[in-house]
Every structure is written in C-alpha cells, then in structure tokens.
Amino acid sequence: MLTNVSKYALMAFSVFMTSYAQAELQCDVDLRYGFIVNDKHIRVVDEQITRYQINGDNQLIVGGHWIQLDEEQQADIKALSDEVHDIVPNMILLAVEGVELAVDTVQHVYVGLVGSDHQSYDKIESSLERVKRKVHQKFIHAGDNYYIGPGSLEDVDEFVDEELEEELESAISTSLGGILSAIGGLTSNNDANMEKRIDELSQRLEQMGEEIERTVGPKAGTLRKKAQWFCNRIEQLNDIEERLRSSIKQLEPYDVIVVGEKELSER
C-alpha cells in the first residue's frame, strides 16, 4: 500500500502547490536599501542609517547636505518622489494580501484533510504564523509611515524571499507529514472497508482541489496581474534612478533598485 500512500500524499501536496503556482511570476528586481515613506518625505535607509532623503518632491539631502538641483534634476526628483509615494504603500498591501492567501490555502488544505485535532496542527500553525510575522517585518505600515526592507522582490505578488520560502516550505512539509500520517492510519487496517475509505479520501482531495481552483484561483490571478504591473513600474522607476545617479554625483554610490538576472547573480 506504500504506492497508494505516496500517490495520495502527492495529490494533497499538489492541491496547494497548484494554487500557489498560479500566482508566481518572474520579476528580477532587487532592493539594496530600504524605503521609509510618508506624506512629507522619502528616506532611503541602510540598517537604520538614512543614506539620502527627499523632502516633498523637490528637495534632496544626501549625507545631511542639501543638494542644489537644476531644472532637469528637479523634474526627475519629482518623478521619483511621485512614483515611490504611489508604489510603496500599494506594494505593502499586495504583500500582505498575497501571504494571507497562501497561508489561508495551506490551512484550508490541512484542516480539510486531517482536521485541526491532529497532533501536528499546532506545528503548522506556528510555521504559518512565522511566515506572516516575517512579511509584516519586511513590509510595515505604521501610522503615516510605510517601510519596505531591502531584499529580492522576485515573485513580487507573494513577496516571499528565500528566508520566507523556507518557512513556507516547512509549513507545507508539516502538513504533508500530517496527511501521510492520516493516510497511513487508513492503510494500516486490513479491513474490508479500507479501499472504500481510500476512495473517499481521493474524492475529498479532488473536491478540495476543485474548490481551491474556484475560490483561490481568481484571487491568485488578480494578485499576479497586480504584481506584474508593479514590477513593470519598479523597472521604470529604476530608469529614473539611473538618470539621477548619472547626473548627481552624490547619489552615484547608492544603487537602490537593481533590475536584471545578471545584477542579481553578482550580489
């Protein structure tokens, strides 16, 4: 019966992964510094040190020194300020929405298959809470301030970097273990109803897959479209940043936005 156990375990795992994969996309964007944004200013920070700051949409301060700007530079500073003020708050909302969808899907699959009374339920809850907590630590909205920490924005709709992926994989592994345990309990009994009970479990998996496709699929698709739109805007924002770094020598050391696989692989 090991073959059957493996078969149904993989089916259970794919229920979640199918919905999760629907929201994936490639977005080769990296932030080397964090952003703190409010109505009055934008701060580019590195481990709590402000590298440069934009006040309003026309004043640039680098290393504590006000920088005189010409007309073209002022136009680029305003363009950068307008974009960052719009993008950052919405990216934070998207990050939270994406991770909530992923976490809710894992919980739904797990509880639907093995129930909340299973011995590993507390472990998966703990793993998923760590995922959410780390997202909230990287994407913060506190009062009038919005903060995005440095790091890769690949799979920008989910905003799950390498460290967060490990937490999510831990949660999935936990749920898979619980599913295997539950199925193992079914297959350990050599009674006449065993095949019937396995068939019932198979039907539950299929029904759950259809339900997730119906309920999660559209949400994941919407998140993916939003994410691609934001990714494109960040790439355009990078163009503005590069113009400013070329024309303002004080900004040259601070390459905040990095776009492209080559740059990312060199870090």
Side-chain angles (χ1 to χ4, degrees), residues 11-24:
M11 287 175 62
F13 181 75
S14 67
V15 166
F16 169 72
M17 289 307 295
T18 298
S19 62
Y20 180 71
Q22 285 176 346
E24 290 182 351

Side-chain angles (χ1 to χ4, degrees), residues 137-148:
Q137 288 172 349
K138 183 173 180 178
F139 301 89
I140 300 172
H141 177 202
D144 295 330
N145 293 301
Y146 295 87
Y147 169 77
I148 291 182

Side-chain angles (χ1 to χ4, degrees), residues 102-120:
V103 167
D104 288 348
T105 304
V106 175
Q107 288 176 320
H108 183 73
V109 170
Y110 185 83
V111 173
L113 289 174
V114 302
S116 59
D117 295 331
H118 192 273
Q119 60 183 3
S120 60

Side-chain angles (χ1 to χ4, degrees), residues 82 98 201:
D82 289 345
L201 178 60

Side-chain angles (χ1 to χ4, degrees), residues 187-217:
T187 59
S188 64
N189 298 320
N190 294 319
D191 56 44
N193 295 324
M194 182 180 63
E195 290 295 337
K196 178 181 178 181
R197 294 166 69 187
I198 292 177
D199 288 340
E200 289 174 352
L201 178 60
S202 175
Q203 292 175 10
R204 285 170 59 195
L205 288 171
E206 292 177 3
Q207 291 170 357
M208 185 168 295
E210 293 172 358
E211 179 186 354
I212 289 176
E213 183 177 356
R214 183 178 66 255
T215 59
V216 176

Side-chain angles (χ1 to χ4, degrees), residues 208-246:
M208 185 168 295
E210 293 172 358
E211 179 186 354
I212 289 176
E213 183 177 356
R214 183 178 66 255
T215 59
V216 176
K219 295 178 184 178
T222 298
L223 286 177
R224 188 182 190 283
K225 290 178 182 178
K226 288 181 181 179
Q228 188 63 66
W229 186 71
F230 277 117
C231 184
N232 294 340
R233 288 189 64 183
I234 294 170
E235 291 179 358
Q236 294 169 5
L237 183 61
N238 180 62
D239 294 337
I240 301 172
E241 181 196 30
E242 290 306 306
R243 289 201 303 268
L244 286 167
R245 291 180 63 234
S246 296

